[in-house]
């Protein structure tokens, strides 16, 4: 397993739309293992393949306290979302150190293939539902800061570009 580099906003590769996985094979299994290792190493609760510059529809999530309940979603799609919505603070491994309120469906049902290629539907609410929606946004080329006002988004972009410049010096 390898720790993969995570793209940082405003990297344009974060805006690429991911393509469906054609087959759950050894390459996808290796990608999932590397993504899980990367997510745990970065202390995240979710990671989309887009964030590691692989533009296929793969997401890994673990919202458990013990960090021992990994969830793999391949070709995920929301098949139902509640009308009830909540605003909660979100962060992102691609937007380090930034947290802000985003409105999301309170509950979702997501159909996806698991790590073995079996189809399943997951009914999620709370943090898991938020995390699924957040990671699936990445697969569509959308970063959570795009839900914020243009002023906030520009401030975040400026701050992160400055941090990236400073870290290279």
């Amino acid at each position: 397993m390898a720790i993969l580099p995570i793209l940082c906003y405003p990297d344009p590769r974060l805006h690429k739309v991911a393509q469906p996985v054609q087959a759950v094979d050894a390459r996808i299994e290796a990608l999932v293992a590397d993504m899980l290792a990367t997510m745990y190493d970065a202390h995240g609760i979710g990671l989309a393949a887009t964030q590691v510059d692989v533009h296929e529809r793969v997401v890994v999530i673990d919202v458990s306290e013990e960090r021992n309940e990994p969830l793999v979603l391949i070709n995920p799609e929301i098949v139902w979302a509640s009308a009830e919505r909540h605003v909660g603070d979100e962060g992102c491994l691609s937007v380090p150190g930034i947290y802000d309120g985003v409105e999301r469906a309170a509950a979702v049902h997501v159909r996806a293939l698991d790590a073995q290629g079996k189809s399943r539907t997951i009914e999620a609410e709370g943090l898991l539902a938020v995390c699924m929606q957040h990671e699936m946004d990445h697969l569509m080329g959308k970063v959570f800061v795009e839900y914020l006002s243009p002023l906030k988004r520009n401030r975040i972009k400026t701050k992160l570009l400055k941090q990236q410049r400073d870290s290279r010096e």
Side-chain angles (χ1 to χ4, degrees):
M1 287 184 281
I3 304 299
L4 305 171
I6 297 172
L7 300 178
C8 280
Y9 182 81
D11 192 307
R13 294 173 289 181
L14 288 168
H15 299 295
K16 276 188 174 177
V17 175
Q19 299 303 306
V21 170
Q22 298 304 314
V24 180
D25 53 18
R27 182 182 65 81
I28 294 298
E29 290 169 4
L31 173 63
V32 165
D34 290 348
M35 286 175 62
L36 284 166
T38 302
M39 177 187 72
Y40 289 130
D41 182 69
H43 306 291
I45 60 170
L47 186 68
T50 302
Q51 294 175 270
V52 294
D53 203 20
V54 175
H55 302 283
E56 292 181 88
R57 296 185 57 78
V58 179
V59 166
V60 297
I61 294 172
D62 190 342
V63 296
S64 68
E65 285 291 321
E66 297 80 27
R67 315 292 290 135
N68 62 354
E69 296 176 29
L71 180 62
V72 176
L73 304 173
I74 299 170
N75 297 336
E77 60 178 317
I78 294 174
V79 294
W80 176 85
S82 66
E84 181 185 352
R85 301 183 66 79
H86 291 259
V87 175
D89 266 2
E90 288 187 26
C92 181
L93 295 175
S94 292
V95 191
I98 305 294
Y99 299 87
D100 212 317
V102 176
E103 183 179 288
R104 303 265 186 200
V108 292
H109 296 177
V110 173
R111 185 178 16 219
L113 301 178
D114 65 14
Q116 289 72 45
K118 285 183 25 190
S119 181
R120 60 188 289 200
T121 300
I122 300 156
E123 297 179 7
E125 57 186 24
L127 181 59
L128 180 57
V130 168
C131 192
M132 288 176 152
Q133 292 170 82
H134 175 109
E135 299 308 333
M136 289 172 67
D137 273 354
H138 278 299
L139 300 179
M140 297 307 297
K142 189 168 188 173
V143 181
F144 89 95
V145 296
E146 293 170 51
Y147 288 101
L148 308 178
S149 71
L151 177 64
K152 277 187 177 179
R153 201 168 44 246
N154 285 331
R155 283 184 178 157
I156 291 167
K157 187 184 293 188
T158 301
K159 178 180 180 177
L160 292 177
L161 286 171
K162 182 182 182 319
Q163 285 175 358
Q164 290 166 23
R165 269 194 315 272
D166 292 350
S167 71
R168 284 192 291 260
E169 291 175 357

